Amino acid sequence: MKSVQIKTIILIAAMWIISYSSMAQKGTEGVPQAVLTAFSAKYPQAQLKKWKTNHNMYTARFVMDNKKYEALYSGDGSWVNTVRNIRHSANLPDQVRLYLKKSSYASWHIDNMERLRTPSQNLYQVEVDNASGNRILYEDAVSFEDKMLCFNDNGKLIKTIVIY
């Protein structure tokens, strides 16, 4: 009797392992092995959610340290960048928060905040608008603006991009 129970437990465990491993592979179809290898090497602790393909670029959506990320790779496995959304301005560097409070953008609404890492630089990108986030009210207004403010790791504004 015990022998049958043990065999049943082993069989169930084996079936679970096989089904889990096939679920883990789901979504990797069409993603080159070089990309999968590069991703695994760069983010070994990541919990992969899914892959997205656009032309010869591959985006991995994953969770790490309870934070959501997207990493972009070229077809040869070269890492292009990694983006993490920032939910609260308290998670921005002090210098970025100070700039947003004291600059001409102090009254602007923050639409989105991201941490962008590339092989050559790391940036904080803050998308702001001067319509308090209400696009409908200002749809026909000439003065409505969206801007992307790009800050370096030290919190220095290095680029402002007007978004149309």
Side-chain angles (χ1 to χ4, degrees):
M1 181 73 172
K2 269 201 182 231
S3 171
V4 173
Q5 286 178 336
I6 291 174
K7 286 180 184 177
T8 304
I9 291 171
I10 291 172
L11 180 62
I12 291 171
M15 288 173 46
W16 181 82
I17 289 170
I18 290 168
S19 69
Y20 180 77
S21 109
S22 69
M23 283 190 302
Q25 296 302 315
K26 202 174 197 178
T28 61
E29 248 178 68
V31 179
Q33 187 59 48
V35 173
L36 296 171
T37 302
F39 173 74
S40 295
K42 185 154 186 72
Y43 299 106
Q45 271 77 41
Q47 297 171 339
L48 180 64
K49 296 300 179 186
K50 75 180 209 176
W51 281 98
K52 227 170 78 175
T53 304
N54 189 6
H55 300 291
N56 198 30
M57 301 301 281
Y58 302 88
T59 303
R61 290 187 177 168
F62 63 99
V63 174
M64 193 169 64
D65 300 327
N66 295 321
K67 295 175 184 151
K68 294 179 182 178
Y69 293 85
E70 286 189 4
L72 182 66
Y73 290 86
S74 63
D76 66 358
S78 299
W79 172 65
V80 177
N81 67 46
T82 301
V83 175
R84 177 177 60 88
N85 278 345
I86 298 173
R87 292 181 186 250
H88 304 286
S89 60
N91 295 328
L92 291 170
D94 292 340
Q95 293 298 346
V96 173
R97 286 197 326 265
L98 183 63
Y99 180 88
L100 292 171
K101 271 186 179 176
K102 305 244 178 191
S103 71
S104 59
Y105 298 105
S107 64
W108 289 44
H109 179 263
I110 296 175
D111 291 332
N112 191 39
M113 299 174 287
E114 296 178 333
R115 175 79 164 124
L116 174 69
R117 295 182 183 272
T118 71
S120 62
Q121 64 182 345
N122 297 319
L123 299 172
Y124 287 92
Q125 297 179 326
V126 180
E127 187 179 330
V128 295
D129 73 64
N130 66 347
S132 301
N134 192 343
R135 292 175 185 247
I136 295 169
L137 287 178
Y138 291 89
E139 200 170 77
D140 296 324
V142 177
S143 64
F144 177 75
E145 289 184 87
D146 270 354
K147 291 188 180 181
M148 176 70 71
L149 308 175
C150 301
F151 299 87
N152 66 13
D153 269 338
N154 298 326
K156 180 181 178 192
L157 180 68
I158 57 171
K159 188 189 305 184
T160 301
I161 302 166
V162 176
I163 302 170
Y164 296 100

